Amino acid sequence: MKVRKFVSGLSVMLVMACASVQAKSILDLIPTVGQGSQQGSRQSSLSQGEALSLYSPGQQQNSFDDCSDKFPQTRPISLANVPAKMKPMALCSDNFAVLYSQTSKTPLVVVERLNSQLLQDAKGEERTNAFYPDPRIPKGARAELSDYRGSNLDRGHQAPAADAPDQKAMAQSFALSNMIPQDPDNNRKIWSKVEKDVRKFSQRAGGNVFVFTGPLFDAGFQTIGENKVWVPTRIFKLVYDESSQRAWAYVLENGNMPIQKPMDYQTFVETTGMKLLGDLPVSGSVGRLSSI
C-alpha cells in the first residue's frame, strides 16, 4: 500500500512514498480516537451572514495574497503543489492563514506569525466560543456544526483562540476551517500545554516566530458526521524562530497520551515527510529538547 507524504519547499507537496516510511503524513498517522465529552454543547454560533461579515473582500478570495505576511519570508504555500484530489483552498484571516482541504473538510496546515507585541495584545481578550461553518467554503465541502454533534470529539483550534490580539481575530478563530476533530483530553490538557509553551517562547523571542499546525492521518483514520470530516490520528506543531533560526516540532497522537519532548526539525522531516521550511536556514533546535 502506498502512502501520501505531505512535503513542502515553503510550498506544500503531497508525494507518493513507500509504506515502509515509519510516520507518513497527510494520509498516514495514528490509532483510534478516544472518547470524551462533546466540547461546548451549549455554545452559541454565528449566522452565515454574520460570519461572512468577519472577512474583508480580500479574505473572501481563494488566495494567500491577503495574508502572505503570516509565512516566513512572505512566501506562502502554493496550492499548485497540493494534489487536486485534496481540493485545496487558501483562506486568509487577520491572524492566521489556512491551507484547507475540501476533501478532508479540515485544515491541512494553519500558519501563524507570533511575536511579543501580538501576544501582549492577546492577553485578556474574551473567548467568544461562537463556532460557525466557514461561509467562504461551499456547502458539502466544509464541516458543519452538526458533524461534531454526538461525536464525543472537540472542535480543536489549530490557530489557538488565545493567540488572537483582538475580538475580530478571536471571532475568526472559531471558524470550523480552523478546527480538527480532537480528543477532548488531548485538546484540553496535552495540546493546551503545547500551545502555552509556544506562546511562552514567542513572548520571549527577539522577533517573529512562525508556527505551522495541522493534522496527520494514518491509514484507517475515522470520519465523523454526514460530511465525513476526517479525524486526525496525530497532530503536529512546528515552530520556527526567525531571529535565532532555530526550529523544533511536536508530533503527538490525537488521544490521551503523555506529552512528549519536542523534536528537532530534521527529525520532524524524517518522521512526517513534511519539509515545511523548505530552504530556510535552520541552525538548531530548542535547548536540549527539554520542555520549552
Side-chain angles (χ1 to χ4, degrees), residues 114 194-202 211 237 239 292:
L114 301 180
V194 169
E195 292 173 341
K196 288 175 183 175
D197 283 348
V198 171
R199 273 193 294 278
K200 183 178 178 181
F201 175 86
S202 299
V211 184
K237 190 176 289 288
V239 182
I292 298 173

Side-chain angles (χ1 to χ4, degrees), residues 37-45 127 129-131 145 148-149 153-155 174 184 187-188:
S37 61
Q38 174 66 19
Q39 178 194 33
S41 58
R42 300 191 187 92
Q43 290 163 345
S44 62
S45 181
R127 184 181 170 100
N129 289 332
F131 293 86
L145 296 173
Y148 283 85
R149 220 163 277 139
L153 296 173
D154 279 359
R155 294 161 291 198
F174 283 87
N187 183 34
R188 304 174 197 182

Side-chain angles (χ1 to χ4, degrees), residues 78-90:
S78 173
L79 270 63
N81 291 326
V82 181
K85 64 177 130 182
M86 297 309 293
K87 299 179 181 177
M89 290 185 70

Side-chain angles (χ1 to χ4, degrees), residues 90-288:
L91 301 173
C92 284
S93 293
D94 288 1
N95 205 44
F96 57 90
V98 179
L99 173 62
Y100 181 83
S101 170
Q102 298 174 79
T103 300
S104 65
K105 282 87 171 182
T106 67
L108 302 179
V109 181
V110 175
V111 188
E112 302 175 84
R113 186 195 69 222
L114 301 180
N115 54 53
S116 58
Q117 182 59 61
L118 182 147
L119 292 171
Q120 183 62 38
D121 292 342
K123 286 183 178 179
E125 283 298 328
E126 184 177 356
R127 184 181 170 100
T128 63
N129 289 332
F131 293 86
Y132 58 92
D134 195 318
R136 300 169 295 175
I137 304 168
K139 276 183 124 0
R142 70 189 188 198
E144 303 286 346
L145 296 173
S146 58
D147 290 318
Y148 283 85
R149 220 163 277 139
S151 69
N152 293 322
L153 296 173
D154 279 359
R155 294 161 291 198
H157 282 70
Q158 299 299 273
D163 291 354
D166 55 50
Q167 277 299 290
K168 185 162 167 277
M170 173 69 74
Q172 290 176 341
S173 80
F174 283 87
L176 294 186
S177 56
N178 183 42
M179 304 292 157
I180 59 167
Q182 192 167 359
D183 177 271
D185 285 327
N186 181 283
N187 183 34
R188 304 174 197 182
K189 298 176 183 177
I190 304 163
W191 200 246
S192 178
K193 172 65 165 59
V194 169
E195 292 173 341
K196 288 175 183 175
D197 283 348
V198 171
R199 273 193 294 278
K200 183 178 178 181
F201 175 86
S202 299
Q203 286 169 330
R204 299 195 311 254
N208 291 322
V209 176
F210 294 89
V211 184
F212 298 74
T213 306
L216 299 162
F217 303 95
D218 247 336
F221 62 86
Q222 301 176 358
T223 65
I224 59 170
E226 183 178 349
N227 291 293
K228 299 189 181 304
V229 180
W230 292 13
V231 178
T233 49
R234 294 185 189 178
I235 313 165
F236 70 85
K237 190 176 289 288
L238 169 66
V239 182
Y240 180 68
D241 179 14
E242 189 175 52
S243 298
S244 68
Q245 299 182 348
R246 290 188 293 164
W248 62 94
Y250 293 89
V251 178
L252 303 179
E253 293 191 4
N254 187 12
N256 187 16
M257 305 292 289
I259 192 167
Q260 299 176 8
K261 293 179 179 180
M263 62 182 66
D264 63 75
Y265 178 61
Q266 187 56 40
T267 302
F268 171 78
V269 172
E270 293 169 357
T271 299
T272 66
M274 296 185 290
K275 195 176 180 183
L276 290 173
L277 298 181
D279 59 1
L280 286 174
V282 177
S283 62
S285 187
V286 53
R288 294 185 178 178

